[in-house]
Amino acid sequence: MRIYSIRPLFLQRVSTILLLLFLSTIFFISCQKNADKQEEAQNTEAVNKVIAWLEEQKSTATLAGSKKIKSLKENLDFSLTGTGLFSPDETLIIVPIKNSFVTNSNQDKHPINSLVLLVNNKKKIRRGYIVQYISPKEINSKDLSKFFYSYYNLETTDFTGSLAYLTVSDEFSYETNYTNGKMSYYTERR
């Protein structure tokens, strides 16, 4: 009479499960690294595109405007750059601006400044603004990017405050004011 042991069969199954778990972990880590590399490549492309576009703007600006664009470029926080879909044909690039960049507009209101750019389907920056988020509600850079995506895609927000749009050479273009997500007034440069 043969006696079969359950132990080798059990150990074989446990070994197989551990091997599959180990291989799944390695696969997941390599996929994550690929995703991180892809995101890093997209951000590098966005950064290069922004820098080149700012140089173009600087070449046509006045001396004062050119200095302001240079200062803007030096104060962009590319580590927090975000990109997202604006419409089927356009993408948003949002780059936070460091607090050391001082604008001529709304200094007394302590705005949070971001460079917001629209990129068309031909990968060309169509336009860009320094957008000042002015609100009594505190917000961090990541949530500000989410807010901009919602705002520009006409999603409902409960935003109360102002958005001031400045040229990249720091000239006032227009401002919109909102109360509980509804526009209460609009002002533009004359």
Side-chain angles (χ1 to χ4, degrees):
M1 178 157 132
R2 283 188 145 172
I3 299 176
Y4 293 102
S5 173
I6 298 176
R7 182 175 233 145
L9 185 59
F10 175 74
L11 288 176
Q12 186 179 8
R13 285 189 177 164
V14 168
S15 297
T16 303
I17 291 171
L18 287 175
L19 179 63
L20 287 173
L21 184 61
F22 176 73
L23 292 174
S24 301
T25 304
I26 289 175
F27 178 74
F28 176 75
I29 290 171
S30 68
C31 287
Q32 185 63 37
K33 284 183 182 178
N34 286 340
D36 290 346
K37 285 179 184 176
Q38 189 175 15
E39 186 176 317
E40 189 177 306
Q42 286 176 335
N43 275 350
T44 301
E45 181 185 343
V47 167
N48 292 337
K49 193 180 303 286
V50 169
I51 290 171
W53 184 79
L54 285 172
E55 284 302 316
E56 280 178 38
Q57 303 310 301
K58 203 163 92 172
S59 69
T60 60
T62 64
L63 182 61
S66 182
K67 286 181 181 178
K68 204 61 169 182
I69 293 170
K70 181 179 185 252
S71 176
L72 172 64
K73 199 166 84 173
E74 292 167 353
N75 285 285
L76 292 173
D77 188 353
F78 286 113
S79 67
L80 297 172
T81 298
T83 59
L85 203 58
F86 174 69
S87 71
D89 298 331
E90 294 181 306
T91 305
L92 274 176
I93 298 176
I94 300 171
V95 185
I97 301 171
K98 297 174 187 171
N99 291 334
S100 50
F101 180 77
V102 180
T103 63
N104 296 325
S105 298
N106 300 311
Q107 291 176 14
D108 58 329
K109 297 177 184 173
H110 309 289
I112 299 172
N113 298 318
S114 296
L115 180 62
V116 178
L117 303 144
L118 238 52
V119 181
N120 66 20
N121 58 0
K122 295 177 182 162
K123 307 280 186 201
K124 289 279 191 190
I125 294 177
R126 198 166 58 81
R127 69 173 175 240
Y129 291 100
I130 296 170
V131 180
Q132 297 184 310
Y133 176 92
I134 304 163
S135 177
K137 183 179 175 184
E138 290 288 319
I139 193 166
N140 63 40
S141 293
K142 196 172 213 173
D143 289 339
L144 185 58
S145 289
K146 288 179 189 174
F147 165 77
F148 281 132
Y149 296 130
S150 297
Y151 172 78
Y152 287 117
N153 284 294
L154 304 175
E155 294 174 9
T156 305
T157 67
D158 62 349
F159 176 58
T160 296
S162 298
L163 294 175
Y165 291 78
L166 315 174
T167 66
V168 291
S169 56
D170 194 24
E171 296 169 11
F172 178 82
S173 288
Y174 64 95
E175 183 173 335
T176 53
N177 193 311
Y178 295 85
T179 305
N180 296 323
K182 302 225 184 296
M183 187 188 303
S184 51
Y185 76 82
Y186 172 89
T187 308
E188 65 182 81
R189 177 178 58 179
R190 304 222 176 220

